[in-house]
Amino acid sequence: MLSYTERGRGPALVFIHAFPLDSSMWRAQAEHFSTRHRVITPDILGFGGSQPPRPWTMAQMGDESLLLLDHLRIDKCTLAGLSMGGYISLPLALGHPDRIERLVLAHTRARADLEPERAARNAMIEELRKDGVAGLPDKMLPRLLGTAASDEVKGTVRDAILRTAAEADIHAVTAMRDRNDQTARLGGVKSATLVIAGSGDAIMKVEDSQAMAEAIPRARLVVIPNTGHLSNLEDPPAFNRELEDFLRQSDSK
Ligand code: MLT
């Protein structure tokens, strides 16, 4: 069973974290939404409390997430995945529209890795094998955070990256490298969907998020200004406001 934190009561809201972080990246969302929701934040296998690291695939992590919903007796939920969390959440919502009423795809994409991206994953695996996680923050921070990110946010993300085990990172990079392309399936997403992009995201282009939102029948795109790849951490009030609007609007339909 995946480790998780749970806070609040009400309709279930499940947040799946990005790489190479853990469930603590959702602290500001757990605080904000737990006044009216039951907020669940799992740790993906090998991260946070979900130990020990083992190899996994996106489909297996989807199954693990469903097991967690069963364990918590959650019939239906809003599922929000950011980046790697979105790689897990999208196929899960496609396979289980009865469980995933609403879907949030933040800073993520439907397509598989392209060849140069696969090569970069392999290089990262080699570096992690050789040098561990010590070099990862300097490599990843400029890609994860926009130019307006505060020193505090930079410190939080750096510390979270350094808490990860190289072995867990290697399994996650492998799972991301080998994930399936979901683009052709986007028309089959039944859940009301919010696609979130950051205007300064160096990893996911706004145009790609827009194309994904256009291909999903009940989707809407919002672009959060002045943020990079981790808008929920870089500008929690803006992220929370957009998510709250979405929850309110999809409730009234
Ligand atoms: C993430 O933020 O989860 C990852 O950086 C996404 C990726 O590397 O594709």
Side-chain angles (χ1 to χ4, degrees):
M1 176 73 56
L2 295 176
S3 160
Y4 63 93
T5 61
E6 177 174 12
R7 189 165 167 180
R9 285 175 188 209
L13 180 50
V14 180
F15 289 101
I16 305 195
H17 66 82
F19 170 85
L21 304 173
D22 58 42
S23 58
S24 67
M25 69 171 264
W26 298 113
R27 199 166 287 145
Q29 283 67 46
E31 190 171 318
H32 182 86
F33 287 99
S34 59
T35 53
R36 264 177 281 164
H37 288 83
R38 183 180 180 194
V39 178
I40 313 291
T41 58
D43 283 316
I44 294 311
L45 190 62
F47 296 89
S50 293
Q51 301 300 330
R54 276 188 278 119
W56 54 272
T57 65
M58 294 300 157
Q60 284 166 350
M61 218 36 59
D63 289 346
E64 287 289 332
S65 306
L66 275 188
L67 281 179
L68 181 59
L69 293 184
D70 292 345
H71 169 77
L72 295 167
R73 299 183 193 285
I74 294 173
D75 258 5
K76 289 179 189 302
C77 70
T78 298
L79 179 64
L82 192 145
S83 201
M84 178 180 78
Y87 302 158
I88 297 165
S89 302
L90 174 57
L92 182 55
L94 277 160
H96 299 275
D98 50 323
R99 309 291 295 273
I100 314 298
E101 262 187 322
R102 300 184 200 79
L103 177 65
V104 181
L105 296 172
H107 308 275
T108 193
R109 58 165 66 99
R111 69 162 171 78
D113 275 4
L114 304 174
E115 228 14 83
E117 291 161 346
R118 291 176 61 84
R121 302 270 194 218
N122 289 334
M124 185 179 272
I125 290 170
E126 274 318 301
E127 277 172 41
L128 284 162
R129 276 206 186 110
K130 261 198 356 238
D131 305 327
V133 298
L136 208 51
D138 284 348
K139 177 165 273 209
M140 291 215 62
L141 276 177
R143 287 174 53 71
L144 289 173
L145 296 173
T147 49
S150 68
D151 287 344
E152 192 188 337
V153 168
K154 284 182 195 154
T156 302
V157 175
R158 177 178 293 276
D159 292 349
I161 296 175
L162 290 174
R163 276 199 304 272
T164 64
E167 194 188 344
D169 291 330
I170 289 171
H171 294 320
V173 174
T174 305
M176 291 193 286
R177 181 195 67 192
D178 296 342
R179 73 189 190 278
N180 293 328
D181 198 318
Q182 306 291 342
T183 313
R185 303 178 71 201
L186 288 175
V189 176
K190 301 244 175 355
S191 328
T193 304
L194 176 66
V195 176
I196 298 180
S199 65
D201 189 334
I203 300 178
M204 307 288 172
K205 288 201 213 109
V206 173
E207 299 85 87
D208 292 350
S209 299
Q210 187 170 357
M212 184 164 72
E214 281 167 8
I216 297 175
R218 297 163 63 207
R220 176 159 85 74
L221 169 75
V222 297
V223 182
I224 305 199
N226 302 317
T227 59
H229 187 62
L230 299 175
S231 63
N232 75 302
L233 279 167
E234 294 175 61
D235 191 349
F239 182 97
N240 294 348
R241 203 163 43 240
E242 295 297 352
L243 179 50
E244 202 160 272
D245 277 0
F246 169 67
L247 294 172
R248 200 176 311 115
Q249 282 171 19
S250 47
D251 266 352
S252 58
K253 279 186 188 147

